[in-house]
Amino acid sequence: MTARPAHGLNWTSIRAIYKFEMARTLRTLGQSILSPVITTVLYFVVFGGAIGGRIESVEGIAYGSFIVPGLVMLTLLQQAINNAAFGIYFPKFIGTIYELLSAPINFLEIVIGYVGAAATKALGVAVIILVTATFFVELTVMHPVAMLAFLVLTALSFSLLGFILGIWARNFEQLTLVPLLVVTPLVFLGGAFYSIDMLPEGWARITYFNPVLYLISGFRWSFFGVADVAPWISLIAVAGFLAACMGVVWWIFRTGWRIKP
Amino acid sequence: MADIIEIRGLEKTYDDGFEALKGVDLTIREGEILALLGPNGAGKTTLISAVCGLVTPTGGQVTVGGHDILSDYRAARSLIGLVPQEITIEPFEKVIDTVRFSRGLFGRPRDEVHIERVLRALSLWEKRNNRNTELSGGMKRRILIAKALAHEPKVLFLDEPTAGVDVTLRREMWELVRRLREEGVTIILTTHYIEEAEQMADRIGVIDKGRLLLVEETARLMHKLGRKELVVEIAEPLATVPPALAAHGVTLSDDGCRLIYTFDATAERTGMTRLMADIAEAGLHLRDLSTRQSSLEEVFLRLVDEGAGAMDAAQ
């Protein structure tokens, strides 16, 4: 009746989860889109307009334009992590996770449903931010395919990270703590608003350990053709991060960690 | 009747060392209503959770419709619907979308006719476009049942379906369960209410401390374990039980007007003839006689006590 091949994915179930998550997003459309847009506009006014006017161009790019890729990445990371973390934490919190666990689906299908929806929403917001940016600064994209690849890979890998966070979190405090204490500093110190050449030697070296640097650098390269690190290194870094997150998710899947006693 | 669920040596020890299930064997027949009775913490919910995939068993084997719940979980779980004990429901979703989601999650194609049938059967059709939070507790519980029925399961698990539910709703719930059974759905329910098990179940399983003490046809269990009470109403109140009657174990009601004699209805000799002779000899005048079957509650308490006693003896 409903028996399916043992291998191969159950797309009906995945679609159900994806649609359910997207419906949740659409219900809260105002807060999910309005707040990132307002935040970004503020960044443009403060950094691009007020401060940017006194800053010389960075590597030949007007400062207002220079910060766009970093801002988009900042929002993309935050959105991806928050959406995915909340998406899986909420059923755990209110108890509806019983239905996911009792359904004839495997963990991979749960992950695809939740992470897919979180990444979709994060990408949507990122595109809106980009469009908003064009109202303030001049923007050209030199490598559109690479730009898209960076966007999608980043959205996916940080949605996975958010999913892991949502599984790990035991309360709302833990859920908001990681994005606040780890992700935001990493983005700010990853060259969202500056080139690492502008940092003193020692700090610049430390920055190379920051994974977000590679994201922003690669993403910025796809716009302007200039980067702190070679774009292929950035791509490897993003792919490596994605693989690491998949590894952790696979381990959670094997052990049922924090979801299944 | 064919068997639909086979549970063999099912064990569950939680990480903190708590042994919730200590080797449970249970065969559930297709189309029956089986009630699992037991005190809090007996292992009822863990048993259901292990079969439904919420908890990973630490030992034993379970098949549903011949499919192993671990190696062939897709086929096994497709057959099962689960209604949890707690009312856990997505608060901001519409009723009908919640139920549609459940059907999709279980891999079944869209079927609006079936969704409507389920919602109507549970008197939720009028409320289908309401948000879940807007509904009463009883309605939320019915949404949970609708969700569990959305994918047309062959087996329905109801974990304490009538806990904290008013009398009217409880009757409705019983009615619904009977209707489902008529449609061929196998139903396993856990309950604290002995009356519920007695009224509804074809068979009753008694669980305590992670062990299944027995599984028996409801009627036979009542017959086998049911004690009967003989109540003798006398014309003149008594201050104490006459010595000849006290030897039978007869007790006196508080007002001194009734003598109560408990006996095993299935025993060859109930001792009633001797008792009646002794009552006549004591010169008591009778006003009325009645016998009463002890309730399942009493039966159950006795079983649990005996189970504990047997285990103490083993240690």
Side-chain angles (χ1 to χ4, degrees), chain B residues 162-221:
Chain B
T162 54
V165 158
D166 67 32
V167 181
T168 323
L169 189 59
R170 191 179 304 169
R171 299 270 164 201
E172 271 179 43
M173 211 71 90
W174 292 357
E175 191 47 50
L176 175 75
V177 169
R178 288 203 187 93
R179 248 184 4 242
L180 286 171
R181 199 256 303 267
E182 276 161 29
E183 288 171 21
V185 179
T186 307
I187 291 152
I188 297 101
L189 58 94
T190 69
T191 181
H192 278 125
Y193 299 106
I194 312 294
E195 189 199 1
E196 189 160 273
E198 200 172 344
Q199 288 259 336
M200 311 265 314
D202 299 307
R203 290 196 304 155
I204 294 174
V206 178
I207 299 188
D208 189 45
K209 299 191 175 79
R211 288 179 212 280
L212 193 65
L213 301 180
L214 67 89
V215 189
E216 193 71 82
E217 314 264 329
T218 308
R220 202 185 299 171
L221 181 72

Coordinates of all heavy atoms in Angstrom, one line a residue, chain B residues 162-221:
Chain B
T162 N -8.6 9.2 27.4 CA -9.7 9.9 28.1 C -9.2 10.5 29.4 O -10.0 10.9 30.2 CB -10.8 9.0 28.4 OG1 -10.3 7.8 29.1 CG2 -11.5 8.5 27.1
A163 N -7.8 10.7 29.5 CA -7.3 11.3 30.7 C -7.7 12.8 30.7 O -7.5 13.5 29.7 CB -5.8 11.2 30.7
G164 N -8.3 13.2 31.8 CA -8.7 14.6 31.9 C -9.8 15.0 30.9 O -9.9 16.2 30.5
V165 N -10.6 14.1 30.5 CA -11.7 14.4 29.6 C -13.0 14.2 30.3 O -13.2 13.3 31.1 CB -11.6 13.4 28.4 CG1 -12.9 13.3 27.7 CG2 -10.5 13.8 27.5
D166 N -14.0 15.1 30.0 CA -15.3 15.0 30.7 C -16.1 13.8 30.3 O -15.8 13.2 29.3 CB -16.1 16.3 30.6 CG -16.5 16.6 29.2 OD1 -16.8 15.7 28.5 OD2 -16.6 17.8 28.9
V167 N -17.1 13.5 31.0 CA -17.9 12.3 30.8 C -18.4 12.2 29.4 O -18.3 11.2 28.8 CB -19.0 12.2 31.9 CG1 -19.8 10.9 31.7 CG2 -18.4 12.3 33.3
T168 N -19.1 13.3 28.9 CA -19.7 13.3 27.6 C -18.6 12.9 26.5 O -18.9 12.1 25.7 CB -20.2 14.7 27.3 OG1 -20.8 15.2 28.5 CG2 -21.3 14.6 26.2
L169 N -17.5 13.6 26.6 CA -16.5 13.4 25.6 C -15.9 12.0 25.7 O -15.6 11.4 24.7 CB -15.4 14.4 25.8 CG -14.3 14.5 24.7 CD1 -15.0 14.8 23.4 CD2 -13.3 15.5 25.0
R170 N -15.9 11.5 27.0 CA -15.3 10.1 27.1 C -16.3 9.1 26.4 O -15.8 8.2 25.7 CB -15.3 9.8 28.6 CG -14.5 8.5 28.9 CD -14.4 8.2 30.4 NE -13.8 9.3 31.1 CZ -13.8 9.4 32.4 NH1 -14.4 8.5 33.1 NH2 -13.3 10.5 33.0
R171 N -17.6 9.3 26.6 CA -18.5 8.5 25.9 C -18.3 8.6 24.4 O -18.4 7.6 23.7 CB -20.0 8.9 26.3 CG -20.3 8.8 27.7 CD -20.9 7.4 28.1 NE -20.8 7.3 29.5 CZ -20.8 6.1 30.2 NH1 -20.8 5.0 29.5 NH2 -20.7 6.1 31.5
E172 N -18.2 9.8 23.9 CA -18.0 10.0 22.5 C -16.7 9.2 22.0 O -16.7 8.6 20.9 CB -17.8 11.5 22.2 CG -19.0 12.2 21.9 CD -18.8 13.7 21.7 OE1 -17.8 14.0 21.0 OE2 -19.5 14.5 22.2
M173 N -15.7 9.3 22.8 CA -14.4 8.7 22.5 C -14.6 7.2 22.4 O -14.1 6.5 21.5 CB -13.4 9.0 23.6 CG -12.0 9.1 23.1 SD -11.7 10.6 22.1 CE -11.3 11.7 23.3
W174 N -15.4 6.6 23.3 CA -15.6 5.2 23.3 C -16.4 4.8 22.1 O -16.1 3.8 21.4 CB -16.4 4.8 24.5 CG -15.7 4.9 25.8 CD1 -14.4 5.3 26.0 CD2 -16.2 4.6 27.1 NE1 -14.1 5.3 27.3 CE2 -15.2 4.9 28.0 CE3 -17.4 4.2 27.6 CZ2 -15.3 4.7 29.4 CZ3 -17.6 4.1 29.0 CH2 -16.5 4.3 29.9
E175 N -17.4 5.6 21.8 CA -18.2 5.4 20.6 C -17.3 5.3 19.3 O -17.4 4.4 18.5 CB -19.3 6.5 20.5 CG -20.4 6.3 19.5 CD -20.9 4.8 19.6 OE1 -21.3 4.4 20.7 OE2 -21.0 4.2 18.5
L176 N -16.4 6.3 19.3 CA -15.5 6.4 18.1 C -14.6 5.2 18.0 O -14.5 4.6 16.9 CB -14.7 7.7 18.3 CG -13.6 7.8 17.2 CD1 -14.3 8.3 15.9 CD2 -12.5 8.8 17.6
V177 N -14.1 4.8 19.1 CA -13.2 3.6 19.1 C -14.0 2.4 18.6 O -13.4 1.6 17.8 CB -12.6 3.4 20.5 CG1 -11.9 2.0 20.6 CG2 -11.7 4.5 20.9
R178 N -15.2 2.2 19.1 CA -16.0 1.1 18.6 C -16.2 1.1 17.1 O -16.1 0.1 16.4 CB -17.3 1.0 19.3 CG -17.2 0.6 20.8 CD -18.5 0.1 21.4 NE -18.3 -0.1 22.8 CZ -18.6 0.8 23.7 NH1 -19.2 1.9 23.4 NH2 -18.4 0.5 25.0
R179 N -16.5 2.3 16.6 CA -16.8 2.5 15.2 C -15.5 2.1 14.4 O -15.6 1.5 13.4 CB -17.2 4.0 14.9 CG -18.6 4.1 14.5 CD -19.1 5.4 14.1 NE -18.2 6.5 14.0 CZ -18.3 7.6 14.8 NH1 -19.3 7.7 15.7 NH2 -17.5 8.6 14.7
L180 N -14.4 2.6 14.9 CA -13.1 2.3 14.2 C -12.9 0.8 14.1 O -12.4 0.2 13.1 CB -12.0 3.0 14.9 CG -11.9 4.5 14.7 CD1 -10.8 5.1 15.6 CD2 -11.5 4.8 13.2
R181 N -13.2 0.1 15.3 CA -13.0 -1.3 15.3 C -13.9 -2.0 14.3 O -13.5 -3.0 13.6 CB -13.3 -1.8 16.7 CG -12.7 -3.2 17.0 CD -13.7 -4.3 16.9 NE -14.8 -4.1 17.8 CZ -14.8 -4.6 19.1 NH1 -13.8 -5.3 19.5 NH2 -15.8 -4.4 19.8
E182 N -15.1 -1.5 14.1 CA -16.0 -2.0 13.1 C -15.4 -1.9 11.7 O -15.7 -2.7 10.8 CB -17.4 -1.4 13.2 CG -18.3 -2.0 14.2 CD -19.4 -1.1 14.6 OE1 -19.9 -0.3 13.7 OE2 -19.9 -1.1 15.8
E183 N -14.6 -0.9 11.5 CA -14.0 -0.7 10.2 C -12.8 -1.5 10.1 O -12.1 -1.5 9.0 CB -13.6 0.8 10.0 CG -14.9 1.7 9.8 CD -14.5 3.2 9.8 OE1 -13.3 3.5 9.6 OE2 -15.4 4.0 10.0
G184 N -12.4 -2.3 11.1 CA -11.3 -3.2 11.0 C -10.0 -2.7 11.6 O -9.0 -3.3 11.4
V185 N -10.0 -1.5 12.2 CA -8.8 -1.0 12.8 C -8.5 -1.7 14.1 O -9.4 -1.8 14.9 CB -8.9 0.5 13.0 CG1 -7.7 1.1 13.6 CG2 -9.3 1.2 11.7
T186 N -7.3 -2.1 14.3 CA -6.9 -2.7 15.6 C -6.6 -1.5 16.5 O -5.9 -0.6 16.1 CB -5.6 -3.5 15.4 OG1 -5.9 -4.5 14.3 CG2 -5.3 -4.3 16.6
I187 N -7.0 -1.6 17.7 CA -6.8 -0.5 18.7 C -6.2 -1.0 20.0 O -6.6 -1.9 20.6 CB -8.2 0.2 19.0 CG1 -8.7 0.9 17.7 CG2 -8.0 1.2 20.1 CD1 -10.1 1.0 17.6
I188 N -5.1 -0.3 20.3 CA -4.4 -0.5 21.5 C -4.5 0.7 22.4 O -4.1 1.8 21.9 CB -2.9 -0.9 21.3 CG1 -2.8 -2.2 20.5 CG2 -2.2 -1.1 22.7 CD1 -2.5 -2.0 19.1
L189 N -5.1 0.7 23.5 CA -5.2 1.9 24.3 C -4.7 1.6 25.7 O -4.8 0.5 26.3 CB -6.7 2.4 24.4 CG -7.8 1.5 24.9 CD1 -8.0 1.7 26.4 CD2 -9.1 1.8 24.2
T190 N -4.1 2.6 26.3 CA -3.7 2.5 27.7 C -4.6 3.4 28.5 O -5.2 4.3 28.0 CB -2.3 3.1 27.9 OG1 -2.3 4.5 27.7 CG2 -1.3 2.5 26.9
T191 N -4.8 3.0 29.7 CA -5.8 3.7 30.5 C -5.6 3.5 32.0 O -5.0 2.5 32.4 CB -7.2 3.3 30.1 OG1 -8.1 4.1 30.9 CG2 -7.5 1.9 30.4
H192 N -6.0 4.5 32.7 CA -6.1 4.4 34.2 C -7.4 3.9 34.6 O -7.6 3.4 35.7 CB -5.8 5.7 34.9 CG -4.3 6.0 35.0 ND1 -3.8 7.2 34.5 CD2 -3.3 5.3 35.5 CE1 -2.5 7.1 34.7 NE2 -2.2 6.0 35.3
Y193 N -8.4 4.2 33.7 CA -9.8 3.9 34.1 C -10.1 2.5 33.8 O -10.2 2.0 32.7 CB -10.7 4.8 33.3 CG -10.5 6.3 33.6 CD1 -9.9 7.1 32.6 CD2 -10.9 6.8 34.8 CE1 -9.7 8.4 32.8 CE2 -10.7 8.2 35.0 CZ -10.1 9.0 34.0 OH -9.9 10.3 34.3
I194 N -10.3 1.7 34.9 CA -10.6 0.3 34.8 C -12.0 0.2 34.1 O -12.1 -0.7 33.3 CB -10.8 -0.3 36.2 CG1 -9.6 0.1 37.1 CG2 -10.9 -1.8 36.2 CD1 -8.3 -0.4 36.7
E195 N -12.9 1.1 34.4 CA -14.2 1.0 33.8 C -14.1 1.0 32.3 O -14.7 0.3 31.5 CB -15.0 2.2 34.3 CG -16.5 2.1 33.9 CD -17.2 3.5 33.9 OE1 -16.5 4.5 34.3 OE2 -18.4 3.6 33.6
E196 N -13.1 1.9 31.8 CA -12.9 2.0 30.4 C -12.4 0.7 29.8 O -13.0 0.3 28.8 CB -11.8 3.1 30.2 CG -11.7 3.5 28.8 CD -11.0 4.9 28.7 OE1 -11.7 5.9 28.8 OE2 -9.7 4.9 28.7
A197 N -11.4 0.1 30.4 CA -10.9 -1.2 29.9 C -12.0 -2.2 29.9 O -12.2 -3.0 28.9 CB -9.8 -1.6 30.7
E198 N -12.8 -2.2 31.0 CA -13.8 -3.2 31.1 C -14.9 -3.1 30.0 O -15.4 -4.0 29.4 CB -14.4 -3.1 32.5 CG -15.2 -4.3 33.0 CD -15.6 -4.1 34.5 OE1 -15.0 -3.2 35.1 OE2 -16.5 -4.9 34.9
Q199 N -15.2 -1.8 29.8 CA -16.3 -1.5 28.8 C -15.9 -1.7 27.4 O -16.7 -2.2 26.6 CB -16.7 0.0 28.9 CG -17.4 0.3 30.2 CD -18.9 0.5 29.9 OE1 -19.3 0.8 28.8 NE2 -19.7 0.2 30.9
M200 N -14.6 -1.4 27.1 CA -14.2 -1.3 25.7 C -13.5 -2.5 25.2 O -13.6 -2.9 24.0 CB -13.3 -0.1 25.5 CG -13.7 1.1 26.1 SD -14.5 2.0 24.8 CE -13.4 1.9 23.5
A201 N -12.6 -3.1 26.0 CA -11.5 -3.9 25.5 C -12.0 -5.4 25.3 O -12.8 -5.9 26.0 CB -10.4 -3.9 26.4
D202 N -11.5 -6.0 24.2 CA -11.7 -7.4 24.0 C -10.8 -8.2 24.9 O -11.2 -9.2 25.5 CB -11.4 -7.8 22.6 CG -12.3 -7.1 21.6 OD1 -13.6 -7.1 21.8 OD2 -11.8 -6.4 20.7
R203 N -9.6 -7.6 25.0 CA -8.6 -8.3 25.9 C -7.9 -7.2 26.8 O -7.9 -6.0 26.4 CB -7.5 -9.0 25.1 CG -8.1 -10.3 24.4 CD -7.0 -11.1 24.0 NE -6.0 -10.5 23.1 CZ -4.8 -10.8 23.0 NH1 -4.3 -11.8 23.7 NH2 -4.0 -10.2 22.2
I204 N -7.5 -7.6 27.9 CA -6.8 -6.6 28.8 C -5.4 -7.2 29.1 O -5.3 -8.4 29.5 CB -7.6 -6.4 30.1 CG1 -9.0 -5.8 29.8 CG2 -6.8 -5.6 31.1 CD1 -9.9 -5.7 30.9
G205 N -4.4 -6.3 29.0 CA -3.1 -6.7 29.5 C -2.7 -5.8 30.7 O -3.1 -4.6 30.7
V206 N -2.2 -6.4 31.7 CA -1.8 -5.7 32.9 C -0.3 -5.6 33.0 O 0.4 -6.6 32.9 CB -2.4 -6.4 34.1 CG1 -2.0 -5.6 35.4 CG2 -3.9 -6.5 34.1
I207 N 0.2 -4.3 33.0 CA 1.6 -4.1 33.1 C 2.0 -3.5 34.5 O 1.2 -2.6 35.0 CB 2.1 -3.0 32.0 CG1 1.8 -3.6 30.6 CG2 3.5 -2.8 32.1 CD1 2.3 -2.7 29.6
D208 N 3.0 -3.9 35.0 CA 3.6 -3.2 36.2 C 5.1 -3.4 36.3 O 5.6 -4.5 36.0 CB 2.9 -3.8 37.5 CG 3.3 -3.0 38.7 OD1 3.2 -1.7 38.6 OD2 3.6 -3.5 39.7
K209 N 5.8 -2.4 36.6 CA 7.2 -2.4 36.7 C 7.9 -3.0 35.5 O 8.8 -3.8 35.7 CB 7.7 -3.1 38.0 CG 7.1 -2.4 39.3 CD 7.8 -3.0 40.5 CE 7.3 -2.3 41.8 NZ 6.0 -2.8 42.2
G210 N 7.5 -2.6 34.3 CA 8.1 -3.1 33.1 C 7.8 -4.5 32.7 O 8.5 -5.0 31.8
R211 N 6.9 -5.2 33.4 CA 6.6 -6.5 33.1 C 5.1 -6.6 32.7 O 4.3 -6.0 33.4 CB 6.9 -7.5 34.2 CG 8.4 -7.8 34.4 CD 8.5 -8.7 35.6 NE 9.8 -8.5 36.2 CZ 11.0 -8.9 35.8 NH1 11.1 -9.6 34.7 NH2 12.1 -8.6 36.5
L212 N 4.8 -7.5 31.7 CA 3.4 -7.7 31.4 C 3.0 -8.9 32.4 O 3.4 -10.0 32.2 CB 3.3 -8.2 30.0 CG 1.9 -8.2 29.4 CD1 1.3 -6.8 29.3 CD2 1.9 -8.8 28.0
L213 N 2.1 -8.6 33.3 CA 1.7 -9.6 34.3 C 0.8 -10.6 33.7 O 0.9 -11.8 34.0 CB 1.0 -8.9 35.5 CG 1.9 -7.9 36.2 CD1 1.1 -7.3 37.4 CD2 3.2 -8.5 36.7
L214 N -0.1 -10.2 32.8 CA -1.0 -11.1 32.1 C -1.7 -10.4 31.0 O -1.8 -9.2 30.9 CB -2.0 -11.7 33.1 CG -3.1 -10.8 33.7 CD1 -4.3 -10.8 32.8 CD2 -3.4 -11.3 35.0
V215 N -2.2 -11.2 30.0 CA -3.1 -10.8 29.0 C -4.2 -11.8 28.9 O -4.0 -13.0 28.9 CB -2.4 -10.7 27.6 CG1 -3.3 -10.0 26.6 CG2 -1.1 -10.1 27.7
E216 N -5.4 -11.3 29.0 CA -6.5 -12.2 29.1 C -7.8 -11.5 28.4 O -7.9 -10.3 28.4 CB -6.8 -12.5 30.6 CG -7.7 -13.6 30.9 CD -7.1 -14.9 30.6 OE1 -6.3 -15.5 31.4 OE2 -7.4 -15.5 29.5
E217 N -8.7 -12.4 27.9 CA -9.9 -11.9 27.4 C -10.6 -11.2 28.6 O -10.6 -11.7 29.7 CB -10.8 -13.0 27.0 CG -10.2 -14.1 26.1 CD -10.4 -13.8 24.7 OE1 -11.5 -13.3 24.4 OE2 -9.6 -14.1 23.9
T218 N -11.2 -10.0 28.3 CA -11.8 -9.2 29.4 C -12.8 -10.1 30.3 O -12.7 -10.1 31.5 CB -12.5 -8.0 28.8 OG1 -11.6 -7.3 28.0 CG2 -13.0 -7.1 29.9
A219 N -13.7 -10.8 29.6 CA -14.7 -11.5 30.3 C -14.1 -12.6 31.1 O -14.4 -12.8 32.3 CB -15.7 -12.1 29.3
R220 N -13.1 -13.3 30.5 CA -12.5 -14.4 31.2 C -11.7 -13.9 32.4 O -11.6 -14.5 33.5 CB -11.6 -15.2 30.3 CG -11.4 -16.6 30.8 CD -10.4 -17.4 30.0 NE -10.9 -17.6 28.6 CZ -10.1 -18.1 27.6 NH1 -8.9 -18.4 27.9 NH2 -10.6 -18.2 26.4
L221 N -11.0 -12.8 32.2 CA -10.2 -12.2 33.3 C -11.2 -11.9 34.5 O -10.8 -12.1 35.6 CB -9.5 -10.9 32.8 CG -8.7 -10.2 33.8 CD1 -7.4 -11.0 34.1 CD2 -8.3 -8.8 33.4

